[in-house]
């Protein structure tokens, strides 16, 4: 199995059929579709990471959405969570455009890569611990390949946090014991790598205000600064007023 480069790793991920429940679900969703996307040909396979191979920042989510990335074939593309994430990346200066609609829409990320600890859409957005652990070697290898340039990781949500910390260990970083607990704004320094906790960009969090756009932009800017990536300064109130 060739996983000697990110491109090769991504190809191998898209061929994975290791978890029968996830294979059945992602393919069933791709067949039945949602009425709003009836004319789409769904991706219906594991979704690889997205972003440059020399990224300084890695964003780790949870899993593809059934009618989002499972439809489009690109992480966080085509769903409400992605709308929030890519808008924030654009506003901070880490993305070429504020929207992510299709895998060929021209979106580029600047120094940032987006991935997930589980690469298949799970029923009810809830992978099992066993599925998470089965998928972990993909994340471990992705971390190893990114290590020469990777300086910061943003982990979205407690599930991602629980999945990512063992992956850091397996990829060669020393994680404190006991393992640090997840919290929004948590910053854990590893060997040349800063790991940040951030509430997930789920609709539940963003609609209720648990995670606001300012909170998300602050984490993105802090991680980008840790990685030495340039960002746009925060918009001034008068600039936001003019833009409306």
């Amino acid at each position: 199995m060739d996983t000697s480069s990110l491109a090769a790793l991504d190809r191998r991920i898209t061929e994975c059929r290791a978890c029968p429940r996830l294979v059945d679900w992602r393919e069933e969703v791709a067949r039945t579709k949602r009425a709003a996307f009836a004319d789409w040909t769904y991706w219906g396979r594991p979704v690889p990471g997205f972003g440059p191979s020399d990224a300084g920042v890695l964003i780790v989510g949870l899993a593809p959405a059934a009618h989002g990335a499972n439809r489009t074939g690109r992480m966080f593309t085509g769903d409400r969570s992605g709308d929030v994430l890519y808008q924030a990346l654009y506003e901070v200066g880490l993305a070429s455009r504020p929207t992510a609609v299709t895998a060929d829409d021209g979106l580029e990320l600047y120094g940032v890569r987006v991935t997930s600890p589980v690469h298949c859409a799970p029923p009810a957005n809830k992978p099992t611990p066993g599925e998470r652990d089965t998928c972990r070697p993909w994340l471990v290898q992705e971390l190893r390949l990114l290590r020469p340039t990777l300086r910061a990781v943003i982990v979205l949500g407690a599930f991602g946090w629980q999945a990512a910390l063992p992956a850091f260990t397996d990829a060669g970083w020393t994680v404190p014991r006991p393992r640090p607990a997840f919290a929004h704004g948590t910053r854990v320094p590893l060997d040349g790598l800063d790991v940040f906790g951030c509430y997930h960009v789920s609709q539940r969090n963003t609609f209720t205000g648990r995670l606001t756009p300012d909170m998300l932009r602050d984490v993105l800017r802090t991680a980008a600064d840790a990685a030495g990536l340039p960002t746009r300064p925060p918009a001034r109130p008068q600039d936001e007023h003019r833009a409306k």
Side-chain angles (χ1 to χ4, degrees), residues 164-170 172-180 188-191:
L165 292 184
F168 292 132
T169 299
D170 291 349
W173 280 278
T174 301
V175 176
R177 302 289 298 190
R179 289 175 181 161
V188 179
L190 303 183
D191 315 312

Side-chain angles (χ1 to χ4, degrees), residues 2-233:
D2 180 15
T3 57
S4 59
S5 69
L6 274 176
L9 178 69
D10 289 346
R11 286 193 296 271
R12 294 296 300 167
I13 286 172
T14 66
E15 299 167 357
C16 184
R17 300 183 65 85
C19 300
R21 189 182 79 113
L22 298 186
V23 172
D24 289 347
W25 175 252
R26 79 193 191 207
E27 293 180 355
E28 173 64 18
V29 169
R31 283 192 299 269
T32 59
K33 308 182 183 180
R34 178 177 282 171
F37 307 119
D39 59 341
W40 276 75
T41 299
Y42 274 50
W43 173 257
R45 288 182 278 163
V47 181
F50 168 56
S53 60
D54 59 351
V57 174
L58 181 66
I59 298 174
V60 178
L62 191 161
H67 301 281
N70 188 56
R71 170 173 58 91
T72 64
R74 193 173 69 190
M75 284 288 176
F76 281 104
T77 297
D79 62 46
R80 295 284 182 86
S81 295
D83 293 344
V84 173
L85 177 62
Y86 287 119
Q87 175 76 35
L89 284 166
Y90 173 76
E91 291 171 349
V92 171
L94 298 174
S96 63
R97 52 183 290 167
T99 58
V101 181
T102 66
D104 58 357
D105 59 14
L107 172 65
E108 293 182 62
L109 301 184
Y110 305 137
V112 176
R113 184 172 170 88
V114 182
T115 194
S116 183
V118 175
H119 288 273
C120 293
N125 290 323
K126 293 181 179 179
T128 67
E131 290 161 351
R132 174 199 65 198
D133 295 345
T134 298
C135 213
R136 181 177 297 143
W138 299 123
L139 179 57
V140 171
Q141 182 63 4
E142 191 167 14
L143 288 167
R144 287 172 175 158
L145 291 169
L146 288 169
R147 185 160 190 161
T149 58
L150 191 63
R151 298 295 176 264
V153 178
I154 299 171
V155 183
L156 302 175
F159 181 94
W161 189 263
Q162 293 165 0
L165 292 184
F168 292 132
T169 299
D170 291 349
W173 280 278
T174 301
V175 176
R177 302 289 298 190
R179 289 175 181 161
F182 172 79
H184 182 84
T186 292
R187 182 173 186 167
V188 179
L190 303 183
D191 315 312
L193 183 72
D194 285 311
V195 181
F196 298 87
C198 178
Y199 290 139
H200 196 279
V201 288
S202 66
Q203 291 186 57
R204 181 175 61 182
N205 287 339
T206 57
F207 283 7
T208 61
R210 189 183 194 204
L211 178 67
T212 67
D214 280 343
M215 291 167 64
L216 179 56
R217 288 190 294 259
D218 284 347
V219 173
L220 291 172
R221 285 196 180 93
T222 303
D225 182 66
L229 298 179
T231 60
R232 295 192 188 107

